[in-house]
Coordinates of all heavy atoms in Angstrom, one line a residue:
M152 N 0.9 -1.2 0.0 CA 0.0 0.0 0.0 C 0.9 1.2 0.0 O 1.9 1.3 0.7 CB -0.9 0.0 1.2 CG -1.8 1.2 1.4 SD -2.8 1.1 3.0 CE -3.1 -0.6 3.2
L153 N 0.6 2.2 -0.8 CA 1.4 3.4 -0.9 C 1.2 4.3 0.4 O 0.0 4.6 0.7 CB 1.0 4.2 -2.1 CG 1.9 5.3 -2.6 CD1 3.3 4.9 -2.8 CD2 1.4 6.0 -3.9
A154 N 2.3 4.6 1.0 CA 2.2 5.3 2.3 C 1.8 6.8 2.1 O 1.9 7.3 1.0 CB 3.5 5.2 3.0
N155 N 1.5 7.5 3.2 CA 1.2 8.9 3.2 C 2.2 9.5 4.3 O 2.0 9.2 5.5 CB -0.2 9.2 3.6 CG -0.6 10.7 3.5 OD1 0.3 11.5 3.5 ND2 -1.8 10.9 3.4
P156 N 3.2 10.3 3.9 CA 3.4 10.7 2.5 C 4.1 9.7 1.7 O 4.9 8.8 2.3 CB 4.3 12.0 2.7 CG 5.0 11.7 4.0 CD 4.1 11.0 4.9
S157 N 3.9 9.7 0.4 CA 4.5 8.7 -0.5 C 6.0 9.0 -0.6 O 6.8 8.0 -0.9 CB 3.9 8.7 -1.8 OG 4.2 9.9 -2.5
G158 N 6.5 10.2 -0.4 CA 7.9 10.5 -0.6 C 8.3 10.7 -2.1 O 9.4 10.9 -2.4
N159 N 7.3 10.6 -3.0 CA 7.6 10.7 -4.4 C 6.4 11.5 -5.0 O 5.3 11.0 -5.2 CB 7.7 9.3 -5.0 CG 8.1 9.4 -6.5 OD1 7.7 10.3 -7.2 ND2 8.8 8.4 -6.9
P160 N 6.6 12.8 -5.5 CA 5.5 13.6 -6.0 C 4.9 13.0 -7.3 O 3.8 13.3 -7.6 CB 6.2 14.9 -6.3 CG 7.7 14.7 -6.2 CD 7.9 13.5 -5.4
K161 N 5.6 12.1 -8.0 CA 5.1 11.5 -9.2 C 3.9 10.6 -8.9 O 3.0 10.4 -9.8 CB 6.2 10.8 -10.0 CG 7.2 11.7 -10.6 CD 8.1 10.9 -11.5 CE 9.2 10.3 -10.7 NZ 10.3 9.6 -11.5
I162 N 3.9 10.0 -7.7 CA 2.8 9.1 -7.4 C 2.0 9.4 -6.2 O 1.3 8.6 -5.6 CB 3.4 7.6 -7.3 CG1 4.5 7.6 -6.2 CG2 3.9 7.1 -8.6 CD1 5.0 6.2 -5.9
S163 N 2.2 10.7 -5.7 CA 1.6 11.1 -4.5 C 0.0 11.0 -4.5 O -0.6 10.9 -3.4 CB 2.0 12.5 -4.0 OG 1.6 13.4 -5.0
T164 N -0.6 11.1 -5.7 CA -2.1 11.1 -5.7 C -2.6 9.7 -5.3 O -3.8 9.6 -5.0 CB -2.6 11.4 -7.1 OG1 -2.0 10.5 -8.1 CG2 -2.3 12.8 -7.5
G165 N -1.8 8.7 -5.3 CA -2.2 7.3 -4.9 C -1.9 7.0 -3.5 O -2.2 5.9 -3.0
Q166 N -1.4 7.9 -2.7 CA -1.0 7.6 -1.3 C -2.3 7.4 -0.5 O -3.3 7.9 -0.8 CB -0.1 8.7 -0.7 CG -0.8 10.0 -0.5 CD 0.2 11.1 -0.3 OE1 1.4 11.0 -0.5 NE2 -0.3 12.3 0.2
L167 N -2.1 6.6 0.6 CA -3.2 6.3 1.5 C -3.8 7.7 2.0 O -3.1 8.6 2.3 CB -2.8 5.5 2.7 CG -3.8 5.3 3.8 CD1 -4.9 4.4 3.3 CD2 -3.1 4.7 5.0
R168 N -5.2 7.7 2.0 CA -5.8 8.9 2.4 C -7.0 8.6 3.2 O -7.8 7.8 2.9 CB -6.3 9.8 1.2 CG -6.9 11.1 1.6 CD -7.8 11.7 0.6 NE -9.0 10.9 0.5 CZ -9.9 10.9 -0.5 NH1 -9.6 11.7 -1.5 NH2 -11.0 10.2 -0.5
V169 N -7.1 9.2 4.4 CA -8.3 9.1 5.2 C -8.9 10.5 5.3 O -8.2 11.5 5.6 CB -8.0 8.6 6.7 CG1 -9.2 8.7 7.5 CG2 -7.4 7.2 6.6
R170 N -10.2 10.6 4.8 CA -10.8 11.9 4.8 C -12.0 11.9 5.7 O -12.8 11.0 5.7 CB -11.3 12.2 3.4 CG -11.9 13.6 3.2 CD -12.2 13.9 1.7 NE -13.2 12.9 1.2 CZ -14.3 13.2 0.7 NH1 -14.7 14.5 0.6 NH2 -15.1 12.3 0.2
V171 N -12.1 13.0 6.5 CA -13.3 13.1 7.4 C -14.2 14.1 6.7 O -13.9 15.2 6.4 CB -12.8 13.7 8.8 CG1 -14.0 13.9 9.7 CG2 -11.8 12.8 9.4
H172 N -15.5 13.6 6.5 CA -16.5 14.5 5.9 C -17.0 15.5 6.9 O -17.0 15.3 8.1 CB -17.7 13.6 5.5 CG -17.4 12.7 4.3 ND1 -17.8 13.1 3.0 CD2 -16.7 11.6 4.2 CE1 -17.4 12.1 2.2 NE2 -16.7 11.2 2.9
D173 N -17.4 16.6 6.4 CA -18.0 17.7 7.1 C -17.1 18.2 8.3 O -17.5 18.4 9.4 CB -19.4 17.3 7.7 CG -20.4 16.9 6.7 OD1 -20.4 17.5 5.6 OD2 -21.1 15.9 7.0
K174 N -15.8 18.4 7.9 CA -14.8 18.8 9.0 C -15.2 20.1 9.6 O -14.8 20.3 10.8 CB -13.4 18.9 8.3 CG -12.8 17.6 8.0 CD -11.4 17.6 7.4 CE -10.6 18.8 7.4 NZ -9.3 18.6 6.9
E175 N -15.9 20.9 8.9 CA -16.2 22.3 9.5 C -17.2 22.2 10.7 O -17.3 23.1 11.5 CB -16.8 23.2 8.5 CG -18.1 22.8 7.8 CD -17.9 21.7 6.7 OE1 -16.8 21.4 6.3 OE2 -19.0 21.1 6.4
R176 N -17.8 21.0 10.9 CA -18.7 20.9 12.0 C -18.0 20.5 13.3 O -18.7 20.5 14.3 CB -19.9 19.9 11.7 CG -19.5 18.5 11.7 CD -20.8 17.6 11.4 NE -20.9 16.6 12.4 CZ -21.1 15.3 12.1 NH1 -21.2 14.9 10.9 NH2 -21.2 14.5 13.1
F177 N -16.8 20.2 13.2 CA -16.0 19.8 14.4 C -15.1 20.9 14.8 O -14.7 21.7 14.1 CB -15.2 18.5 14.1 CG -16.0 17.4 13.6 CD1 -15.8 16.9 12.3 CD2 -16.9 16.7 14.4 CE1 -16.6 15.9 11.8 CE2 -17.7 15.7 13.9 CZ -17.5 15.3 12.6
D178 N -14.8 20.9 16.1 CA -13.8 21.9 16.7 C -12.4 21.6 16.1 O -11.7 22.5 15.8 CB -13.8 21.9 18.2 CG -15.0 22.6 18.8 OD1 -15.6 23.4 18.1 OD2 -15.4 22.3 19.9
S179 N -12.0 20.3 16.0 CA -10.7 20.0 15.4 C -10.7 18.6 14.9 O -11.5 17.7 15.3 CB -9.6 20.1 16.5 OG -9.8 19.1 17.5
V180 N -9.9 18.4 13.8 CA -9.7 17.1 13.2 C -8.3 16.9 12.9 O -7.6 17.8 12.3 CB -10.5 17.0 11.9 CG1 -10.2 15.7 11.1 CG2 -12.0 17.1 12.1
E181 N -7.7 15.8 13.3 CA -6.3 15.5 13.0 C -6.2 14.1 12.6 O -6.6 13.2 13.3 CB -5.4 15.8 14.2 CG -3.9 15.5 14.0 CD -3.1 15.7 15.2 OE1 -3.6 16.0 16.3 OE2 -1.8 15.5 15.1
V182 N -5.6 13.9 11.4 CA -5.3 12.6 10.9 C -3.8 12.3 11.0 O -3.0 13.1 10.4 CB -5.8 12.4 9.4 CG1 -5.5 11.0 8.9 CG2 -7.3 12.7 9.3
R183 N -3.4 11.2 11.6 CA -1.9 10.9 11.8 C -1.6 9.6 11.1 O -2.2 8.6 11.5 CB -1.6 10.9 13.3 CG -1.5 12.2 13.9 CD -0.9 12.2 15.3 NE -1.6 11.2 16.2 CZ -2.7 11.4 16.9 NH1 -3.3 12.6 16.8 NH2 -3.2 10.5 17.7
Y184 N -0.7 9.7 10.1 CA -0.3 8.5 9.3 C 1.0 8.0 9.9 O 1.9 8.8 10.2 CB -0.1 8.9 7.9 CG -1.4 9.4 7.2 CD1 -1.7 10.7 7.1 CD2 -2.3 8.5 6.6 CE1 -2.9 11.2 6.5 CE2 -3.5 8.9 6.0 CZ -3.7 10.3 6.0 OH -4.9 10.7 5.4
P185 N 1.2 6.7 10.0 CA 2.5 6.2 10.4 C 3.5 6.4 9.3 O 3.2 6.6 8.2 CB 2.2 4.7 10.7 CG 1.0 4.4 9.8 CD 0.2 5.6 9.7
K186 N 4.8 6.2 9.7 CA 5.9 6.3 8.8 C 5.9 5.1 7.9 O 5.7 4.0 8.4 CB 7.2 6.4 9.6 CG 8.4 6.6 8.7 CD 9.6 6.8 9.5 CE 10.8 7.0 8.6 NZ 12.1 7.1 9.3
G187 N 6.1 5.3 6.6 CA 6.2 4.1 5.7 C 7.6 3.6 5.6 O 8.5 4.1 6.1
T188 N 7.7 2.4 4.9 CA 9.0 1.8 4.6 C 9.4 2.3 3.3 O 8.7 2.1 2.3 CB 8.8 0.3 4.7 OG1 8.3 -0.1 5.9 CG2 10.1 -0.4 4.4
P189 N 10.6 2.8 3.2 CA 11.1 3.3 1.9 C 11.5 2.1 1.0 O 12.1 1.1 1.5 CB 12.3 4.2 2.2 CG 12.7 3.8 3.6 CD 11.6 3.2 4.2
I190 N 11.2 2.2 -0.3 CA 11.6 1.2 -1.3 C 12.1 1.9 -2.5 O 11.7 3.1 -2.7 CB 10.5 0.1 -1.6 CG1 9.3 0.8 -2.2 CG2 10.2 -0.7 -0.4 CD1 8.3 -0.2 -2.7
K191 N 12.8 1.2 -3.4 CA 13.3 1.8 -4.6 C 12.9 0.9 -5.8 O 13.0 -0.3 -5.7 CB 14.8 2.0 -4.6 CG 15.3 2.7 -5.7 CD 16.8 3.1 -5.6 CE 17.2 4.0 -6.7 NZ 18.6 4.5 -6.5
D192 N 12.3 1.5 -6.8 CA 11.8 0.9 -8.0 C 12.6 1.5 -9.2 O 12.7 2.7 -9.2 CB 10.3 1.0 -8.1 CG 9.8 0.4 -9.4 OD1 9.8 -0.9 -9.4 OD2 9.4 1.1 -10.3
D193 N 13.0 0.6 -10.1 CA 13.7 1.1 -11.3 C 12.9 2.1 -12.1 O 13.5 3.1 -12.7 CB 14.2 0.0 -12.2 CG 15.3 -0.9 -11.5 OD1 16.0 -0.3 -10.6 OD2 15.4 -2.0 -11.9
L194 N 11.6 1.9 -12.2 CA 10.8 2.7 -13.0 C 10.2 4.0 -12.3 O 10.3 5.1 -12.8 CB 9.6 1.9 -13.6 CG 8.6 2.7 -14.5 CD1 9.3 3.2 -15.7 CD2 7.5 1.8 -14.8
L195 N 9.8 3.8 -11.0 CA 9.1 4.8 -10.3 C 10.1 5.6 -9.4 O 9.7 6.7 -8.9 CB 8.0 4.3 -9.4 CG 6.9 3.6 -10.2 CD1 5.9 3.0 -9.3 CD2 6.1 4.6 -11.1
G196 N 11.2 5.1 -9.1 CA 12.2 5.7 -8.2 C 11.9 5.3 -6.7 O 11.4 4.2 -6.5
E197 N 12.2 6.2 -5.8 CA 12.0 5.9 -4.4 C 10.7 6.4 -3.9 O 10.2 7.4 -4.3 CB 13.1 6.6 -3.6 CG 14.5 6.0 -3.8 CD 15.6 6.6 -2.9 OE1 15.2 7.0 -1.8 OE2 16.7 6.6 -3.3
F198 N 10.0 5.6 -3.1 CA 8.8 6.0 -2.4 C 8.6 5.1 -1.2 O 9.3 4.1 -0.9 CB 7.6 5.8 -3.4 CG 7.4 4.5 -4.0 CD1 6.5 3.6 -3.5 CD2 8.1 4.1 -5.2 CE1 6.4 2.3 -4.1 CE2 8.0 2.9 -5.8 CZ 7.1 2.0 -5.2
N199 N 7.6 5.5 -0.4 CA 7.3 4.8 0.9 C 6.0 4.0 0.8 O 5.0 4.4 0.1 CB 7.1 5.8 2.0 CG 8.3 6.7 2.2 OD1 9.4 6.2 2.3 ND2 8.1 8.0 2.3
V200 N 6.0 2.8 1.4 CA 4.9 1.9 1.4 C 4.6 1.4 2.8 O 5.4 1.6 3.7 CB 5.1 0.6 0.5 CG1 5.3 1.0 -1.0 CG2 6.3 -0.2 1.0
Y201 N 3.4 0.9 3.0 CA 3.0 0.2 4.2 C 2.9 -1.2 3.9 O 2.4 -1.6 2.8 CB 1.6 0.7 4.7 CG 1.6 2.2 5.1 CD1 0.6 3.0 4.6 CD2 2.5 2.7 6.0 CE1 0.5 4.3 5.0 CE2 2.4 4.1 6.4 CZ 1.4 4.8 5.9 OH 1.3 6.2 6.2
R202 N 3.3 -2.1 4.8 CA 3.2 -3.5 4.7 C 2.3 -4.0 5.8 O 2.4 -3.5 6.9 CB 4.6 -4.1 4.8 CG 5.5 -3.7 3.7 CD 6.8 -4.4 3.8 NE 7.9 -3.8 2.9 CZ 8.0 -4.0 1.6 NH1 7.2 -4.8 1.0 NH2 9.0 -3.4 0.9
D203 N 1.6 -5.1 5.5 CA 0.7 -5.7 6.5 C -0.3 -4.8 7.1 O -1.0 -4.1 6.3 CB 1.6 -6.3 7.7 CG 2.6 -7.3 7.1 OD1 2.2 -8.1 6.3 OD2 3.8 -7.3 7.6
T204 N -0.4 -4.7 8.4 CA -1.5 -3.9 9.1 C -1.0 -2.4 9.2 O 0.1 -2.2 9.6 CB -1.8 -4.5 10.4 OG1 -2.2 -5.8 10.3 CG2 -2.9 -3.7 11.1
V205 N -1.9 -1.5 9.0 CA -1.6 -0.1 9.1 C -2.6 0.6 10.1 O -3.8 0.4 9.9 CB -1.7 0.7 7.8 CG1 -1.4 2.2 7.9 CG2 -0.7 0.1 6.8
L206 N -2.1 1.3 11.1 CA -3.0 2.0 12.0 C -2.9 3.5 11.7 O -1.8 4.1 11.9 CB -2.6 1.7 13.4 CG -3.4 2.5 14.5 CD1 -4.9 2.1 14.5 CD2 -2.8 2.2 15.9
V207 N -4.0 4.1 11.2 CA -4.1 5.5 11.0 C -4.9 6.1 12.1 O -6.1 5.7 12.3 CB -4.7 5.9 9.6 CG1 -4.9 7.4 9.5 CG2 -3.9 5.3 8.5
E208 N -4.4 7.0 12.9 CA -5.1 7.6 14.0 C -5.8 8.9 13.6 O -5.3 9.7 12.9 CB -4.1 7.9 15.1 CG -3.4 6.7 15.7 CD -2.5 7.1 16.8 OE1 -3.0 7.5 17.9 OE2 -1.3 7.0 16.6
V209 N -7.1 9.0 14.0 CA -7.9 10.1 13.6 C -8.5 10.7 15.0 O -9.2 10.0 15.7 CB -9.1 9.8 12.7 CG1 -9.9 11.0 12.4 CG2 -8.5 9.1 11.4
D210 N -8.1 11.9 15.3 CA -8.6 12.6 16.5 C -9.6 13.6 16.1 O -9.2 14.5 15.3 CB -7.5 13.2 17.3 CG -6.6 12.2 18.0 OD1 -7.1 11.1 18.3 OD2 -5.4 12.5 18.2
I211 N -10.8 13.5 16.6 CA -11.8 14.5 16.3 C -12.4 15.1 17.6 O -12.7 14.3 18.5 CB -13.0 13.8 15.5 CG1 -12.5 13.3 14.2 CG2 -14.2 14.8 15.3 CD1 -13.4 12.5 13.4
T212 N -12.5 16.4 17.7 CA -13.1 17.0 18.9 C -14.4 17.5 18.4 O -14.5 18.4 17.5 CB -12.2 18.2 19.4 OG1 -11.0 17.7 19.8 CG2 -12.9 18.8 20.6
R213 N -15.5 17.0 19.0 CA -16.8 17.4 18.6 C -17.3 18.6 19.3 O -16.8 18.9 20.4 CB -17.8 16.3 18.9 CG -17.7 15.0 18.1 CD -18.8 14.1 18.5 NE -18.6 12.8 17.9 CZ -19.5 12.1 17.2 NH1 -20.7 12.7 17.1 NH2 -19.3 11.0 16.7
R214 N -18.2 19.3 18.7 CA -18.9 20.4 19.4 C -19.9 19.9 20.4 O -20.4 18.8 20.2 CB -19.5 21.4 18.4 CG -18.5 22.0 17.5 CD -19.1 23.2 16.7 NE -18.0 23.8 16.0 CZ -18.0 24.0 14.7 NH1 -19.0 23.5 13.9 NH2 -17.0 24.6 14.1
P215 N -20.2 20.6 21.4 CA -21.2 20.1 22.4 C -22.5 19.8 21.7 O -23.0 20.5 20.8 CB -21.4 21.3 23.4 CG -20.1 22.1 23.2 CD -19.7 22.0 21.8
N216 N -23.1 18.7 22.2 CA -24.4 18.2 21.7 C -24.4 17.7 20.3 O -25.5 17.4 19.7 CB -25.5 19.3 21.8 CG -25.6 19.8 23.2 OD1 -25.6 19.0 24.2 ND2 -25.8 21.1 23.4
D217 N -23.3 17.5 19.6 CA -23.2 16.9 18.3 C -23.1 15.4 18.5 O -22.1 14.9 18.9 CB -22.0 17.4 17.5 CG -21.9 16.9 16.1 OD1 -22.8 16.1 15.7 OD2 -21.0 17.2 15.4
T218 N -24.2 14.7 18.1 CA -24.2 13.3 18.3 C -24.3 12.6 16.9 O -24.5 11.3 16.9 CB -25.4 12.9 19.2 OG1 -26.6 13.4 18.6 CG2 -25.3 13.4 20.6
R219 N -24.2 13.3 15.8 CA -24.3 12.7 14.5 C -23.1 11.8 14.3 O -22.0 12.0 14.8 CB -24.4 13.8 13.4 CG -25.6 14.6 13.5 CD -25.6 15.7 12.5 NE -24.6 16.7 13.0 CZ -24.2 17.8 12.3 NH1 -24.7 18.0 11.1 NH2 -23.4 18.6 12.9
A220 N -23.3 10.8 13.4 CA -22.2 9.9 13.1 C -21.1 10.6 12.3 O -21.4 11.6 11.6 CB -22.7 8.7 12.2
V221 N -19.9 10.1 12.5 CA -18.8 10.7 11.8 C -18.6 9.8 10.5 O -18.5 8.6 10.6 CB -17.5 10.7 12.6 CG1 -16.3 11.2 11.9 CG2 -17.7 11.5 13.9
K222 N -18.5 10.4 9.4 CA -18.3 9.7 8.1 C -16.8 9.9 7.7 O -16.3 11.0 7.5 CB -19.2 10.1 7.0 CG -19.1 9.3 5.8 CD -20.1 9.8 4.7 CE -19.9 9.0 3.5 NZ -20.8 9.4 2.4
L223 N -16.1 8.7 7.4 CA -14.8 8.7 7.0 C -14.7 8.0 5.6 O -15.4 7.0 5.4 CB -13.8 8.0 7.9 CG -13.8 8.4 9.4 CD1 -13.0 7.5 10.2 CD2 -13.3 9.8 9.5
D224 N -13.8 8.5 4.7 CA -13.5 7.8 3.5 C -12.1 7.4 3.6 O -11.2 8.2 4.0 CB -13.7 8.7 2.3 CG -15.1 8.8 1.8 OD1 -15.9 8.1 2.3 OD2 -15.3 9.8 1.0
T225 N -11.8 6.2 3.1 CA -10.4 5.7 3.0 C -10.1 5.4 1.6 O -10.8 4.6 0.9 CB -10.2 4.5 3.9 OG1 -10.7 4.7 5.2 CG2 -8.7 4.1 3.9
R226 N -9.0 6.0 1.1 CA -8.6 5.8 -0.3 C -7.3 5.0 -0.2 O -6.3 5.4 0.5 CB -8.3 7.0 -1.1 CG -8.0 6.8 -2.5 CD -7.8 8.1 -3.3 NE -7.7 7.9 -4.7 CZ -6.6 7.5 -5.3 NH1 -5.5 7.3 -4.7 NH2 -6.6 7.4 -6.6
V227 N -7.2 3.8 -0.9 CA -6.1 2.9 -0.8 C -5.6 2.6 -2.2 O -6.4 2.3 -3.1 CB -6.5 1.6 -0.1 CG1 -5.3 0.7 0.0 CG2 -7.0 1.9 1.3
L228 N -4.3 2.7 -2.4 CA -3.6 2.2 -3.6 C -2.7 1.1 -3.2 O -1.7 1.3 -2.5 CB -2.8 3.3 -4.3 CG -2.1 2.8 -5.6 CD1 -3.1 2.3 -6.6 CD2 -1.3 4.0 -6.2
A229 N -3.1 -0.2 -3.5 CA -2.4 -1.3 -3.0 C -1.6 -2.0 -4.2 O -1.9 -1.8 -5.4 CB -3.3 -2.3 -2.4
F230 N -0.6 -2.7 -3.8 CA 0.3 -3.4 -4.8 C 0.4 -4.9 -4.4 O 0.3 -5.2 -3.2 CB 1.7 -2.8 -4.8 CG 1.8 -1.4 -5.1 CD1 1.6 -0.4 -4.2 CD2 2.0 -1.0 -6.4 CE1 1.7 0.9 -4.5 CE2 2.1 0.4 -6.8 CZ 2.0 1.3 -5.8
N231 N 0.6 -5.7 -5.4 CA 0.9 -7.1 -5.1 C 2.4 -7.2 -4.9 O 3.1 -6.2 -4.8 CB 0.3 -8.1 -6.1 CG 1.0 -8.0 -7.5 OD1 2.0 -7.4 -7.6 ND2 0.3 -8.6 -8.4
N232 N 3.0 -8.4 -5.0 CA 4.4 -8.6 -4.8 C 5.3 -7.9 -5.9 O 6.5 -7.7 -5.7 CB 4.8 -10.0 -4.7 CG 4.3 -10.7 -3.5 OD1 4.1 -10.0 -2.5 ND2 4.0 -12.0 -3.5
Q233 N 4.7 -7.6 -7.0 CA 5.4 -6.9 -8.1 C 5.1 -5.4 -7.9 O 4.0 -4.9 -8.0 CB 5.0 -7.3 -9.5 CG 5.2 -8.8 -9.7 CD 4.7 -9.2 -11.1 OE1 3.7 -8.6 -11.6 NE2 5.2 -10.2 -11.7
I234 N 6.1 -4.6 -7.6 CA 6.0 -3.2 -7.3 C 5.4 -2.5 -8.6 O 5.8 -2.8 -9.7 CB 7.3 -2.5 -7.0 CG1 7.8 -3.1 -5.7 CG2 7.2 -1.0 -6.9 CD1 9.2 -2.7 -5.3
G235 N 4.4 -1.7 -8.4 CA 3.8 -1.0 -9.5 C 2.6 -1.6 -10.1 O 2.0 -1.0 -11.0
V236 N 2.2 -2.8 -9.6 CA 1.0 -3.4 -10.1 C -0.2 -2.9 -9.2 O -0.2 -3.2 -8.0 CB 1.1 -4.9 -10.1 CG1 -0.2 -5.6 -10.6 CG2 2.2 -5.3 -11.0
Q237 N -1.1 -2.2 -9.8 CA -2.2 -1.7 -9.0 C -3.3 -2.7 -8.8 O -3.8 -3.3 -9.7 CB -2.8 -0.5 -9.7 CG -3.9 0.2 -9.0 CD -4.4 1.5 -9.7 OE1 -3.7 1.9 -10.6 NE2 -5.5 1.9 -9.3
T238 N -3.8 -2.8 -7.5 CA -4.9 -3.7 -7.2 C -6.0 -2.9 -6.6 O -7.0 -3.4 -6.1 CB -4.5 -4.8 -6.2 OG1 -4.0 -4.3 -5.0 CG2 -3.5 -5.7 -6.8
G239 N -5.9 -1.6 -6.5 CA -6.9 -0.6 -6.0 C -7.0 0.5 -7.0 O -6.6 0.3 -8.1
P240 N -7.4 1.7 -6.7 CA -7.8 2.2 -5.4 C -9.2 1.7 -5.1 O -10.0 1.4 -5.9 CB -7.7 3.7 -5.6 CG -8.0 3.9 -7.0 CD -7.4 2.7 -7.7
A241 N -9.4 1.8 -3.8 CA -10.8 1.5 -3.3 C -11.2 2.6 -2.3 O -10.4 3.1 -1.6 CB -10.7 0.1 -2.5
I242 N -12.5 2.9 -2.4 CA -13.1 3.9 -1.5 C -13.9 3.1 -0.5 O -14.8 2.3 -0.9 CB -13.9 4.9 -2.2 CG1 -13.1 5.7 -3.2 CG2 -14.6 5.9 -1.2 CD1 -12.0 6.6 -2.7
I243 N -13.6 3.2 0.8 CA -14.3 2.5 1.8 C -14.9 3.6 2.7 O -14.3 4.5 3.2 CB -13.3 1.6 2.6 CG1 -12.5 0.7 1.7 CG2 -14.0 0.9 3.7 CD1 -11.3 0.1 2.3
N244 N -16.2 3.4 2.9 CA -16.9 4.4 3.8 C -17.0 3.8 5.2 O -17.4 2.6 5.4 CB -18.3 4.7 3.3 CG -18.3 5.6 2.1 OD1 -17.5 6.5 2.0 ND2 -19.1 5.2 1.1
H245 N -16.7 4.6 6.2 CA -16.8 4.2 7.6 C -17.8 5.1 8.3 O -17.7 6.3 8.2 CB -15.5 4.2 8.3 CG -14.4 3.5 7.6 ND1 -14.2 2.2 7.7 CD2 -13.4 4.0 6.8 CE1 -13.1 1.9 7.0 NE2 -12.7 2.9 6.4
Q246 N -18.7 4.5 9.1 CA -19.6 5.3 10.0 C -19.1 5.1 11.4 O -19.1 4.0 11.9 CB -21.0 4.9 9.8 CG -21.6 5.3 8.4 CD -21.9 6.8 8.3 OE1 -22.1 7.5 9.2 NE2 -21.8 7.2 7.1
V247 N -18.8 6.2 12.1 CA -18.4 6.1 13.5 C -19.4 6.8 14.4 O -19.7 8.0 14.1 CB -17.0 6.8 13.7 CG1 -16.5 6.7 15.1 CG2 -16.0 6.2 12.7
P248 N -19.9 6.1 15.4 CA -21.0 6.7 16.2 C -20.4 7.9 17.1 O -19.2 8.0 17.2 CB -21.4 5.6 17.1 CG -20.4 4.5 17.0 CD -19.6 4.8 15.8

């Protein structure tokens, strides 16, 4: 999976992205991505990837009396064992109470 940040502007549009919908309704929103593992590809150059399980932390401070669900989108660009072979992207919607 392409890390965020990817470390390579040529492919940065494919990096992992977690987006919080309606951010303006919250007092604060912070998305923290873990550090990726750097790899080098002859065609694409150097970039960062995630392997196995990835934990992205999202801290949201709600306004008083806001009990609506939080909607998150996750954009993923994944690779198989051959670097550069796309098996995504996928948009996954999450509802958080």
Side-chain angles (χ1 to χ4, degrees):
M152 175 182 328
L153 194 55
N155 186 340
S157 69
N159 184 327
K161 291 188 272 185
I162 57 175
S163 63
T164 57
Q166 66 195 14
L167 174 65
R168 184 199 73 196
V169 175
R170 183 174 62 121
V171 178
H172 287 258
D173 303 322
K174 285 178 22 174
E175 63 280 348
R176 77 178 231 229
F177 304 112
D178 284 337
S179 67
V180 174
E181 181 184 2
V182 179
R183 288 190 305 278
Y184 298 93
K186 183 178 180 183
T188 302
I190 61 172
K191 188 171 186 171
D192 179 71
D193 292 338
L194 181 61
L195 298 174
E197 293 185 29
F198 55 97
N199 300 313
V200 297
Y201 297 129
R202 300 182 191 278
D203 302 317
T204 302
V205 179
L206 176 64
V207 177
E208 297 180 70
V209 180
D210 288 332
I211 297 172
T212 303
R213 293 180 187 232
R214 294 191 175 122
N216 302 319
D217 182 1
T218 58
R219 294 174 288 175
V221 177
K222 183 177 178 185
L223 305 174
D224 281 346
T225 306
R226 184 178 191 281
V227 177
L228 178 60
F230 299 87
N231 68 13
N232 291 333
Q233 298 175 335
I234 296 171
V236 177
Q237 182 177 344
T238 60
I242 301 294
I243 305 163
N244 289 316
H245 308 279
Q246 292 286 334
V247 181

